[in-house]
Amino acid sequence: MTLRTLESLGSLAGKRVVVRCDLNVPVTDGVITDDGRVRASLPTLNALINAGARVVVISHLGRPKGEPDETYTLAPVAQRLSELLGQAVTFASDTVGLAAQEAVSGLADSDVALLENLRFNPGETSKDDSERRSFAEKLASLGDAFVSDGFGVVHRKQASVYDLAQLLPSAAGTLIENELTVLERLTDAPERPYTVVLGGSKVSDKLGVIGHLLPRVNTLLIGGGMMFTFLAAQGHKVGSSLLEEDQLDTVRGYLDQAAALGVEIVLPTDTVVASAFAADADTVVASADAIEDTPFGSSGLGLDIGPETAAAFARAIESSETVFWNGPMGVFEMAPFAPGTRAVADALTRAKGLSVVGGGDSAAAVRALGFGDDQFGHISTGGGASLEFLEGKRLPGLEVLGWQ
Ligand code: ADP
Ligand code: MG
């Protein structure tokens, strides 16, 4: 691994260290519903605290529009972080303004401050290099060194991920280091059979991934929202289910490519069809080629893989040596549509080789369904980032840390 790690920064005692974490946790009415990403950030933060650094944590939360928006404040995260670290965390009500400057200058050795949401500033995600750069310079003025530890954002060319790393002595934190150690096992000669399970709702994003993954895997299991674009590509009607009409040709291309490569794409043979997108909707299990033949007709929508599919996916997963899973199999947030996701998660816990779960919602799903993190080989904190890594793409946030 060519990555620069914490040791490369030398002694950090008394130094102000800006740490880019991914604390983008789900928050409902001010309450954090899954603190997995906060917990995942603790090892690096504790290492810096123990080294006597003055720790300045930065992160984004949600997708505010480049200006302050109370819905997306990191204030509840500061409180949770303080509880988990067992020490006070100073929260600054802005990111690079007076409040942030005061919070940083008030730090003693081993103290921690969290600055307000990076994305309250238009420079963070700007496509304009100079606008991004000038925001990164303000961030850089708050530190003597920079540690990048938000794996969930390393595929983004953003000020706090990409530009900042070039303005201060910089290195990866242990979260990124550990993520790469595991993900490298999936890209460099994975143990075979190698199965990838894809689901979720970001259909057009993830369809693009398939072309890159096909030459690398033995089996691809398709569930979640994207299954309907595949079923439609095979000529089946899918009612009111998620469908990307403009991707039908692409998907047909993948099916041909898979056949030519000898890669098995396993599509659902049954699905749970609902009368509406609601937890109390009427439901019926339908064959994947007869989704519109239910009492709900063309208004029925598929919200989970069916039990026959779940069993077939579980068999494929359990007989694999390497499994990577991204994207829930159904709308697991509603109990009637959680069994498919539960079955896949359960199969991963029984897989004999390396099992990796990637993706914000996928990680939240396994926790919400009562699985423990230690039942899987690895739970990646990055969805898009882990997928792009597996595709073999060069990630800007890793390249600036010396990764090749
Ligand atoms: P991840 O964050 O793990 O990468 P995504 O963000 O792509 O996953 O997708 C997660 C969402 O996908 C969940 O909120 C889930 O409700 C939704 N989902 C899964 N299956 C379906 C489906 N058949 N129809 C609509 N939404 C679905
Ligand atoms: Mg998601």
Side-chain angles (χ1 to χ4, degrees):
M1 206 183 289
T2 51
L3 195 71
R4 290 194 301 279
T5 54
L6 285 180
E7 302 78 67
S8 72
L9 294 174
S11 168
L12 293 172
K15 290 201 179 147
R16 299 169 305 159
V17 179
V18 178
V19 192
R20 177 42 159 122
C21 294
D22 175 8
L23 303 176
N24 182 26
V25 291
V27 178
T28 309
D29 299 329
V31 178
I32 298 171
T33 52
D34 176 30
D35 66 1
R37 283 180 169 167
V38 186
R39 289 177 185 277
S41 304
L42 297 177
T44 295
L45 296 179
N46 276 318
L48 295 171
I49 291 167
N50 292 337
R54 304 175 177 202
V55 185
V56 182
V57 184
I58 55 175
S59 175
H60 73 290
L61 185 123
R63 298 187 174 206
K65 308 255 171 288
E67 58 184 34
D69 177 346
E70 271 310 294
T71 322
Y72 300 108
T73 178
L74 278 166
V77 176
Q79 198 190 333
R80 188 77 193 109
L81 185 59
S82 164
E83 288 161 13
L84 291 169
L85 286 173
Q87 71 176 67
V89 171
T90 307
F91 180 64
S93 59
D94 61 28
T95 323
V96 289
L98 220 51
Q101 290 162 27
E102 280 174 7
V104 174
S105 60
L107 291 176
D109 296 359
S110 300
D111 279 356
V112 178
L114 172 64
L115 310 184
E116 184 55 289
N117 198 333
L118 288 158
R119 292 188 187 169
F120 285 2
N121 306 271
E124 169 66 358
T125 58
S126 176
K127 297 277 178 263
D128 179 296
D129 287 352
S130 64
E131 194 184 7
R132 236 182 28 242
R133 185 79 170 194
S134 86
F135 178 57
E137 278 165 2
K138 289 183 190 152
L139 289 169
S141 74
L142 299 172
D144 306 304
F146 174 61
V147 172
S148 182
D149 212 28
F151 182 70
V153 287
V154 290
H155 58 316
R156 307 274 186 217
K157 196 174 177 184
Q158 297 178 342
S160 69
V161 180
Y162 178 74
D163 302 86
L164 180 55
Q166 299 171 75
L167 295 172
L168 289 174
S170 61
T174 58
L175 183 154
I176 287 191
E177 201 186 336
N178 292 338
E179 291 271 12
L180 294 184
T181 304
V182 176
L183 293 177
E184 264 195 325
R185 288 175 60 192
L186 301 181
T187 47
D188 299 355
E191 298 266 336
R192 295 186 181 273
Y194 175 19
T195 296
V196 169
V197 194
L198 288 180
S201 58
K202 291 180 196 158
V203 178
S204 36
D205 283 11
K206 295 186 188 180
L207 282 177
V209 170
I210 293 175
H212 293 274
L213 284 179
L214 277 179
R216 301 170 186 262
V217 306
N218 302 102
T219 307
L220 195 57
L221 310 177
I222 304 283
M226 76 175 71
M227 65 185 263
F228 303 103
T229 304
F230 276 88
L231 294 174
Q234 294 185 322
H236 304 310
K237 294 205 169 91
V238 297
S240 301
S241 311
L242 271 187
L243 172 63
E244 307 257 333
E245 304 242 20
D246 56 345
Q247 301 286 332
L248 289 172
D249 281 339
T250 313
V251 165
R252 284 189 199 104
Y254 290 152
L255 291 168
D256 293 344
Q257 191 188 346
L261 288 166
V263 170
E264 199 184 4
I265 294 187
V266 185
L267 296 177
T269 54
D270 60 351
T271 173
V272 179
V273 180
S275 58
F277 191 89
D280 60 358
D282 292 326
T283 64
V284 52
V285 174
S287 168
D289 57 6
I291 292 175
E292 294 196 0
D293 299 345
T294 74
F296 323 129
S298 60
S299 65
L301 57 170
L303 296 183
D304 195 11
I305 55 174
E308 184 182 274
T309 303
F313 282 13
R315 279 196 300 277
I317 290 165
E318 285 172 47
S319 59
S320 298
E321 287 297 332
T322 308
V323 188
F324 176 80
W325 171 31
N326 170 269
M329 294 292 100
V331 184
F332 72 94
E333 297 92 336
M334 301 180 196
F337 314 114
T341 301
R342 184 188 299 282
V344 161
D346 207 45
L348 254 80
T349 67
R350 287 194 301 270
K352 40 192 186 319
L354 175 63
S355 62
V356 179
V357 183
D361 291 288
S362 310
V366 300
R367 295 193 190 104
L369 295 174
F371 293 92
D373 289 22
D374 55 0
Q375 290 181 269
F376 303 91
H378 179 67
I379 299 187
S380 174
T381 51
S386 58
L387 281 174
E388 290 196 15
F389 188 89
L390 295 190
E391 287 176 58
K393 285 197 184 156
R394 307 182 73 84
L395 309 186
L398 294 181
E399 292 203 321
V400 287
L401 304 175
W403 173 265
Q404 286 173 347

